[in-house]
Amino acid sequence: MSQTVVIDGNEAAAWGAALSRPDMVAVYPITPQSSLVEYLAKFIADGRMDADLMDVEGEHSVLSVLHGACLAGARTYSATSAQGLAYMFEPYFRTPGLRLPMVVSLVNRDSVSPTCVWGGQQDAMTVKEVGWIHMFCETQQEICDTIPIAYKVAEHPEVMLPVNVNHDGNYLSYGVAKVDLPDQAVVDAFLGEKSINWHACLDPERPMAVDPLTGGATGAGPATFVRYRKGLCGGMRAALDVIVEAHAEWGRKTGRHWSPLIEEYRMEDAEVALVTIGSMSGAAKDAVDEARLDGRRLGLVKIKTFRPFPVMQMARALAKVRAVGVVDRAVNFGWNCGPVFQEVLAALYHLPVRVPAMSFIGGLAGADITVEHFAQAIERTLRLAAGETAVEPVWLNEND
Amino acid sequence: MGTAFDTITFKASSCDGCGKCMTACAEAKQGAARISIVPGTKESSFELAMCRQCGDPKCVMVCPAGALAKDDGSGVVQWDASRCIDCLLCTAGCSYGGISLDSHTARVSKCDQCDGDPACVKACPTDALQWVTAGSVFNKYGDKEDMFVPGLSGCQGCNSELIMRHAMRKIGRNSVLATPPGCIPGMGSVGYNGKTGTKVPVFHPLLTNTASMLAGIRRYYDRVGRKDIVVMALAGDGGTSDCGFHAVSGAAERGEKVLYVCVDNEGYMNTGMQRSSTTPFGSWTSTTPVGEHMRGKSQDAKNLPLIMVAHKCAYVATASTGYMEDLYDKLDKAVEASFRGFSYLHIYSPCPTGWRIPSSKVIEACRMSVDSNFVTLWEYTREGGLRFTRSPDRPIPVRDYVKMIGKYRHLDDAQLDHIQSRVDEQVTLLKRMAAAPAAEPAVI
């Protein structure tokens, strides 16, 4: 039987992981992820979860022990944030290249320096080109549901890529909400048998060399390397359909239907659209509703899947609007705008017409992006639609 | 495959000509000594006249009576008194003075190795004579399958390749092998472009995460009941003592059941001989060069095996290819211990390319390093504490070892004295640990 509980986002992630029955969980604490791994440790200690707990000496080893376990055939889970992700980066970069179907939660946090332990998506946005699939959750319920979905995607034979399930630090990690925990049997039926990547395994019964040297100026090396790289792109491409199918099946089994790639909110007749990602989307939707009450034709596109980027879905969703305002919780230094903004611009390039777009940056270092902030963003985007130019990003919390 | 035999070895440089071996032999055999120490060609040097138990013995060939025969089991050339016709042709046929007329009995006599317990060796006060049984390794393991392809591209005389082949030949197919970046995969063990160099599952961990990856593999195999797989690394000193140390220390602290073999060639040899934290004091490397302002490495080596003792691993040992029986014995124990907890074997491994020594001198360098206490051979268990497996008493001067290694060519007297004093210090510390009850390795 499913069970209704009131829990925070970290506990929702722990439940999502527990329901997915990983063989191995590796943990190292970091704010704001810490309570998540404490929940997991408690679940295992209480026998609610049958997994091996490896509490290791740092995030570098968190991912490394899971690499080993995964290469031996295990289903694995972990979670980290900002500095932990930075310390994990060396094995993190290697994971998609090895095509290891792992799931790791990122409890998004702004990255040092300046020193900060609060929410922000700088951690995830800094690793967006590495080859992990990235999904972003809006609510505690979506966190709990997305983790089993992530395993389904990661282990799909056409995908075989690691997945980061992102949820915002502070707002989601510590924010409490009602969550329906799906029945274990439902999740078991959804996930089916664990799918192992036998093309990269360490088993005396299937002896092989994993990750031999490739590349070099001549011979078979460079072409071999290119095949690996293209294969990874192929996995990303295949993931788009698999993510849609997995969400659909989850909806059929649980009754909860999440938009798999992007969610279009009141976009049918929208003339101006906001693009959001993560927990900010709730307040943004309220602001859209208020603008609608004022007679403005506002809509919103929420990004659920950020990698692979749903380029065509995004382009189609924004094809009919006259201006787009993209709200980021991170900074793209050098472009000096939001990273999601850059992604949206690249998607808009696929349209026959030029749609004006502008960048809003808010919610850094744990700052609140309120409905009022979104109202300002809407006003500014409406002026963009009316012909005003926008060169610099708008920093929403600059004068808070 | 043939058979290798136990043998008496003679090290002329250690012999002071005291003659105690000859006395001991004469007493043991109640007749003339069958061993002779004779003046050598140089002043105060000595040579040995004794039966070499030749593989193709001339004495046997010339004997008209069939009184001499090489024993297949022991390798000893046996003399049968009942068949001998006292013609003495054998004494003329031997180039080594190994068989001669005993004037007391008026018959020939020769060394029979005292049935494997030679009196001369026991009497030798300088260890110039030694009873060497390393051939047993060849007899026991020579027929086992080599787990690497024949054409690994190690340098000529590579000691690490020797260690790899020996270790995996012994451990066999039911294993998972990590070879972190360095010479060991660099010579092709994980292969190039789709072709593997190893018959067991093998992989490159990152330089930094070998022990962690192994821990994950072992935990999963234990979870699914495949507990007999040897999960192991053949790692270098850099990845173990420098950037990968967090993983080694963490896995040891958690008691992860893996076998971690550190092949210590005292630096990053694969990338061009840069310094690591196990590079000894004074050593030239490409990042501790010798010039007007720098005379090689100015710090002492990190003693990694002792650090692992401080982790109270299930097993810690040091080994050298100069003493293969000792190495094999420790491999056995290390594999067994790896099913109970973290098992750490540190094998010192001269690199002919990076150390600037001829490839023909590698094993000699191994032996000299041990004989001078530059390298000490010992093992540690939680139950038994620390124990020397080769006596550190009566060492040769460290200078004698160091002077054969090109990377130390520039050392001055003060540097040499420093190395000798550090070696003496290490031995003193180890002796205190060896003397302490097992429960108190805290003397570190």
Side-chain angles (χ1 to χ4, degrees):
Chain A
M1 287 294 288
S2 68
Q3 186 190 350
T4 301
V5 291
V6 177
I7 54 178
D8 67 21
N10 279 351
E11 189 171 357
W15 274 111
L19 288 163
S20 303
R21 295 190 193 270
D23 299 293
M24 190 86 68
V25 173
V27 300
Y28 187 85
I30 182 168
T31 302
Q33 159 263 36
S34 301
S35 63
L36 198 170
V37 297
E38 290 168 1
Y39 287 123
L40 290 169
K42 189 80 167 73
F43 288 174
I44 292 169
D46 291 346
R48 286 152 103 177
M49 187 176 177
D50 173 24
D52 265 51
L53 178 71
M54 295 189 75
D55 33 7
V56 300
E57 79 286 351
E59 289 88 352
H60 193 284
S61 282
V62 163
L63 205 52
S64 300
V65 296
L66 297 184
H67 276 191
C70 202
L71 285 164
R75 179 180 285 172
T76 65
Y77 178 76
S78 189
T80 192
S81 300
Q83 304 314 114
L85 178 63
Y87 184 38
M88 187 186 275
F89 186 71
E90 194 194 15
Y92 182 83
F93 195 95
R94 193 184 202 199
T95 316
L98 280 172
R99 308 299 292 269
L100 299 179
M102 315 174 82
V103 174
V104 172
S105 284
L106 291 185
V107 188
N108 301 124
R109 169 184 147 181
D110 247 317
S111 302
V112 174
S113 178
T115 299
C116 169
V117 295
W118 311 105
Q121 293 174 353
Q122 196 70 45
D123 51 4
M125 289 301 154
T126 303
V127 297
K128 63 192 163 70
E129 322 299 10
V130 169
W132 284 63
I133 289 171
H134 279 267
M135 297 190 206
F136 284 79
C137 300
E138 182 182 339
T139 64
Q140 289 80 352
Q141 181 73 61
E142 192 172 12
I143 298 168
C144 178
D145 288 358
T146 301
I147 289 171
I149 291 171
Y151 281 103
K152 186 87 169 176
V153 172
E155 292 179 7
H156 192 286
E158 297 298 315
V159 179
M160 280 295 165
L161 285 172
V163 180
N164 280 144
V165 178
N166 290 267
H167 69 260
D168 285 308
N170 301 67
Y171 287 98
L172 288 176
S173 64
Y174 306 146
V176 170
K178 177 175 97 76
V179 173
D180 284 327
L181 298 177
D183 187 58
Q184 182 67 61
V186 170
V187 181
D188 288 347
F190 170 74
L191 282 176
E193 278 291 298
K194 173 174 67 186
S195 165
I196 296 165
N197 182 3
W198 291 117
H199 297 291
C201 72
L202 291 167
D203 183 345
E205 287 176 10
R206 304 166 184 250
M208 67 165 76
V210 171
D211 218 359
L213 197 63
T214 58
T218 56
T224 306
F225 191 85
V226 169
R227 275 201 297 281
Y228 278 113
R229 284 291 194 249
K230 283 185 74 176
L232 209 161
C233 292
M236 277 281 177
R237 198 161 39 244
L240 284 171
D241 287 341
V242 173
I243 289 168
V244 173
E245 287 162 19
H247 280 76
E249 190 182 341
W250 183 262
R252 286 193 296 276
K253 287 205 157 62
T254 64
R256 282 189 296 282
H257 297 271
W258 302 100
S259 298
L261 302 174
I262 56 171
E263 177 190 341
E264 298 184 42
Y265 182 75
R266 305 191 78 166
M267 284 297 290
E268 309 78 38
D269 60 344
E271 290 179 349
V272 167
L274 291 181
V275 177
T276 61
I277 186 165
S279 63
M280 68 167 82
S281 306
K285 286 173 183 171
D286 287 349
V288 166
D289 291 344
E290 288 184 11
R292 286 262 171 187
L293 290 175
D294 294 341
R296 274 113 174 227
R297 283 156 71 182
L298 251 292
L300 180 145
V301 178
K302 178 189 98 173
I303 296 173
K304 168 72 180 282
T305 299
F306 184 67
R307 282 289 180 276
F309 196 82
V311 179
M312 298 321 291
Q313 288 80 358
M314 181 63 76
R316 274 196 296 273
L318 299 176
K320 283 177 281 182
V321 300
R322 293 193 288 115
V324 180
V326 183
V327 189
D328 271 277
R329 287 194 73 178
V331 185
N332 181 332
F333 300 103
W335 280 106
N336 301 339
C337 61
V340 177
F341 172 69
Q342 277 294 331
E343 303 274 334
V344 172
L345 285 190
L348 290 175
Y349 185 78
H350 291 260
L351 294 176
V353 294
R354 180 176 176 279
V355 180
M358 63 181 295
S359 175
F360 297 91
I361 297 172
L364 302 186
D368 200 358
I369 318 181
T370 61
V371 176
E372 290 70 34
H373 287 122
F374 282 109
Q376 289 167 31
I378 287 168
E379 286 305 320
R380 188 65 188 79
T381 310
L382 284 166
R383 296 213 299 276
L384 181 70
E388 197 174 307
T389 54
V391 181
E392 294 288 320
V394 174
W395 301 77
L396 292 174
N397 304 98
E398 194 172 20
N399 301 312
D400 284 5
Chain B
M1 198 189 78
T3 309
F5 302 110
D6 300 341
T7 192
I8 297 167
T9 62
F10 176 67
K11 193 171 179 185
S13 61
S14 299
C15 179
D16 63 4
C18 72
K20 285 181 181 161
C21 52
M22 294 158 65
T23 310
C25 180
E27 279 175 13
K29 298 304 179 190
Q30 294 292 300
R34 298 161 187 198
I35 178 170
S36 270
I37 299 297
V38 296
T41 47
K42 290 184 205 152
E43 202 182 329
S44 310
S45 75
F46 299 93
E47 283 172 15
L48 175 74
M50 189 174 71
C51 178
R52 268 33 172 200
Q53 320 294 349
C54 298
D56 180 19
K58 294 289 179 288
C59 58
V60 173
M61 203 167 70
V62 299
C63 177
L68 288 162
K70 189 166 175 71
D71 185 278
D72 288 344
S74 66
V76 171
V77 175
Q78 299 285 9
W79 174 63
D80 184 343
S82 65
R83 288 191 172 195
C84 178
I85 57 171
D86 302 323
C87 71
L88 304 186
L89 274 175
C90 53
T91 63
C94 178
S95 315
Y96 303 106
I99 185 161
S100 54
L101 182 67
D102 180 344
S103 54
H104 295 90
T105 58
R107 307 213 65 181
V108 294
S109 73
K110 66 175 294 300
C111 169
D112 60 3
Q113 296 186 339
C114 300
D115 293 328
D117 187 22
C120 54
V121 171
K122 284 189 283 189
C124 179
T126 64
D127 292 336
L129 288 169
Q130 292 193 12
W131 178 240
V132 173
T133 55
S136 63
V137 169
F138 177 75
N139 295 337
K140 205 166 166 189
Y141 299 103
D143 278 340
K144 293 231 179 195
E145 187 179 21
D146 188 340
M147 290 297 160
F148 294 96
V149 293
L152 293 179
S153 57
C155 302
Q156 187 182 45
C158 176
N159 196 58
S160 299
E161 181 177 348
L162 194 68
I163 291 166
M164 290 157 62
R165 290 190 188 276
H166 275 280
M168 296 315 296
R169 188 190 288 269
K170 180 167 175 56
I171 289 166
R173 282 183 180 262
N174 196 25
S175 55
V176 174
L177 174 63
T179 65
C183 291
I184 291 172
M187 70 177 82
S189 59
V190 193
Y192 297 111
N193 294 325
K195 291 190 170 57
T196 180
T198 309
K199 293 178 184 173
V200 303
V202 65
F203 67 106
H204 282 122
L206 300 166
L207 187 58
T208 46
N209 73 356
T210 306
S212 299
M213 285 188 73
L214 291 178
I217 294 166
R218 160 63 76 202
R219 287 277 194 109
Y220 183 68
Y221 278 130
D222 273 3
R223 179 176 170 84
V224 295
R226 295 175 66 184
K227 293 172 189 276
D228 60 343
I229 299 171
V230 179
V231 178
M232 64 174 292
L234 288 169
D237 51 282
T240 307
S241 69
D242 292 339
C243 62
F245 182 68
H246 65 104
V248 176
S249 176
E253 181 267 330
R254 298 190 304 272
E256 304 288 358
K257 292 181 275 180
V258 300
L259 168 58
Y260 197 103
V261 180
C262 175
V263 179
D264 180 3
N265 56 19
E266 300 180 352
Y268 295 91
M269 297 303 153
N270 187 54
T271 43
M273 309 125 193
Q274 295 85 10
R275 162 208 202 276
S276 81
S277 57
T278 70
T279 302
F281 174 86
S283 175
W284 168 91
T285 69
S286 58
T287 53
T288 55
V290 177
E292 209 175 311
H293 298 288
M294 200 192 278
R295 306 290 297 165
K297 194 188 178 201
S298 55
Q299 303 86 10
D300 291 303
K302 184 190 273 186
N303 192 329
L304 204 51
L306 269 189
I307 294 170
M308 300 318 290
V309 169
H311 284 72
K312 299 195 174 183
C313 300
Y315 187 70
V316 181
T318 61
S320 164
T321 47
Y323 293 94
M324 287 302 276
E325 278 176 293
D326 182 68
L327 192 157
Y328 266 77
D329 181 49
K330 287 168 176 170
L331 260 176
D332 262 339
K333 292 175 179 170
V335 169
E336 186 277 324
S338 76
F339 295 112
R340 294 185 281 110
F342 197 81
S343 180
Y344 182 83
L345 181 58
H346 193 99
I347 307 181
Y348 295 94
S349 184
C351 165
T353 310
W355 292 21
R356 311 297 195 227
I357 48 173
S359 53
S360 59
K361 295 279 188 186
V362 168
I363 298 301
E364 192 182 332
C366 288
R367 294 202 178 132
M368 297 276 280
S369 69
V370 173
D371 295 349
S372 63
N373 280 344
F374 192 88
V375 162
T376 45
L377 299 183
W378 48 264
E379 64 184 2
Y380 162 86
T381 60
R382 287 192 286 258
E383 305 74 29
L386 188 138
R387 177 181 84 85
F388 286 102
T389 58
R390 192 171 176 84
S391 169
D393 298 330
R394 293 201 309 245
I396 61 170
V398 173
R399 277 168 200 255
D400 291 357
Y401 161 64
V402 166
K403 74 183 177 195
M404 71 180 293
I405 313 288
K407 67 174 179 169
Y408 298 118
R409 194 176 294 132
H410 58 280
L411 294 187
D412 58 27
D413 279 345
Q415 286 177 301
L416 285 164
D417 288 346
H418 176 91
I419 296 174
Q420 181 70 61
S421 70
R422 282 306 157 104
V423 164
D424 295 344
E425 232 172 64
Q426 283 291 338
V427 171
T428 305
L429 172 64
L430 287 164
K431 279 185 169 176
R432 271 168 54 204
M433 292 173 68
E440 300 172 20
V443 290
I444 302 180

